[in-house]
């Protein structure tokens, strides 16, 4: 008797659970704005905490895409970067490797980022659900303390190293930070 009741409860739970898992993800994805795109040196997106003044590392699971312009194709529901946040940027295309990269300086005050925020790394695993249109991988490091950022979008995952998150932009991606 006991067994058949718990079996009935278990199968009811399974039915309920499966209807929940089938219903939820589509809406969450459409609302998330976690798809970035790098079109060229003026039209691109990076990931930032969803809230003004948010900590880079603490926001790694839910950071969202912010672009240089509204409604960039390939970045649905992305937000627009605060004016002046990108202080300088240097765009590199490596066509033999199949990656593009942007490195440069940020003005952390334009989004309230903290001078003592040592920053962190965003990639396909965090923010959860993030994507880079047209590429198979990306890696971004943002360092509010040094006011620099770097992002690379890669066809080959090996060109977007995600295992050196504490090394910082200059060691992980190199590039121009003037
Ligand atoms: C970037 O691409 C957009 C179209 O997607 C174009 O209007 C703009 O001129 C391009 N900018 C550069 C610097 O190539
Ligand atoms: C592309 O990357 C390869 C390997 O790192 C490098 O040897 C080459 O100089 C790069 N090309 C450009 C245009 O940056
Ligand atoms: C990161 O991974 C690459 C490729 O697998 C490897 O060569 C490198 O030593 C790793 N670096 C660290 C710091 O784990």
């Amino acid at each position: 008797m006991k067994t058949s009741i718990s079996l009935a409860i278990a199968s009811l739970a399974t039915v309920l659970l499966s209807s929940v898992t089938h219903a939820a993800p589509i809406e969450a994805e459409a609302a998330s704005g976690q798809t970035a795109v790098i079109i060229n040196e003026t039209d691109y997106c990076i990931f930032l905490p969803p809230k003004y003044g948010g900590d880079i590392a603490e926001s790694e699971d839910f950071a969202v895409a912010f672009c240089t312009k509204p409604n960039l194709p390939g970045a649905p529901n992305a937000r627009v970067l605060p004016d002046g946040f990108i202080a300088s940027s240097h765009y590199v295309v490596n066509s033999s490797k199949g990656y593009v990269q942007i490195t440069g300086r940020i003005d952390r005050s334009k989004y309230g980022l903290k001078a003592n925020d040592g920053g962190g790394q965003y990639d396909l695993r965090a923010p959860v659900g993030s994507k880079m249109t047209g590429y198979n991988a990306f890696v971004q490091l943002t360092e509010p303390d040094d006011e620099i950022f770097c992002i690379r979008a890669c066809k080959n995952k090996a060109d977007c190293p995600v295992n050196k998150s504490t090394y910082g932009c200059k060691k992980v991606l190199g590039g121009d930070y003037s």
Side-chain angles (χ1 to χ4, degrees):
M1 189 64 187
K2 244 182 193 170
T3 310
S4 74
I5 287 174
S6 37
L7 270 179
I9 290 171
S11 58
L12 179 60
T14 306
V15 168
L16 286 175
L17 261 179
S18 66
S19 64
V20 168
T21 47
H22 284 290
I26 296 165
E27 273 179 73
E29 202 168 301
S32 66
Q34 288 183 308
T35 301
V37 67
I38 299 179
I39 298 171
N40 60 28
E41 63 187 290
T42 54
D43 295 11
Y44 63 87
C45 318
I46 62 172
F47 292 88
L48 286 176
K51 286 196 180 142
Y52 180 94
D55 181 271
I56 295 294
E58 282 171 12
S59 305
E60 69 175 12
D61 286 336
F62 45 83
V64 295
F66 283 74
C67 308
T68 55
K69 294 176 185 166
N71 305 315
L72 283 188
N77 302 314
R79 303 192 206 169
V80 178
L81 281 161
D83 266 352
F85 182 78
I86 305 285
S88 74
S89 63
H90 306 278
Y91 178 63
V92 169
V93 179
N94 192 317
S95 21
S96 61
K97 287 274 189 179
Y99 69 73
V100 296
Q101 150 176 329
I102 299 171
T103 61
R105 301 199 60 78
I106 57 174
D107 178 349
R108 63 177 175 242
S109 71
K110 304 295 192 214
Y111 196 53
L113 303 182
K114 306 284 187 297
N116 64 0
D117 183 346
Q121 174 176 300
Y122 297 155
D123 57 52
L124 283 180
R125 276 187 292 185
V128 177
S130 64
K131 294 193 186 76
M132 178 63 74
T133 295
Y135 292 89
N136 299 315
F138 77 92
V139 60
Q140 175 189 328
L141 292 100
T142 316
E143 300 177 49
D145 54 352
D146 288 338
E147 296 199 292
I148 61 173
F149 80 103
C150 56
I151 186 166
R152 183 184 286 181
C154 303
K155 301 279 188 196
N156 305 305
K157 290 191 174 180
D159 295 321
C160 277
V162 296
N163 63 340
K164 306 174 186 175
S165 60
T166 59
Y167 288 31
C169 276
K170 291 177 182 173
K171 286 194 181 135
V172 176
L173 296 186
D176 187 347
Y177 296 91
S178 58

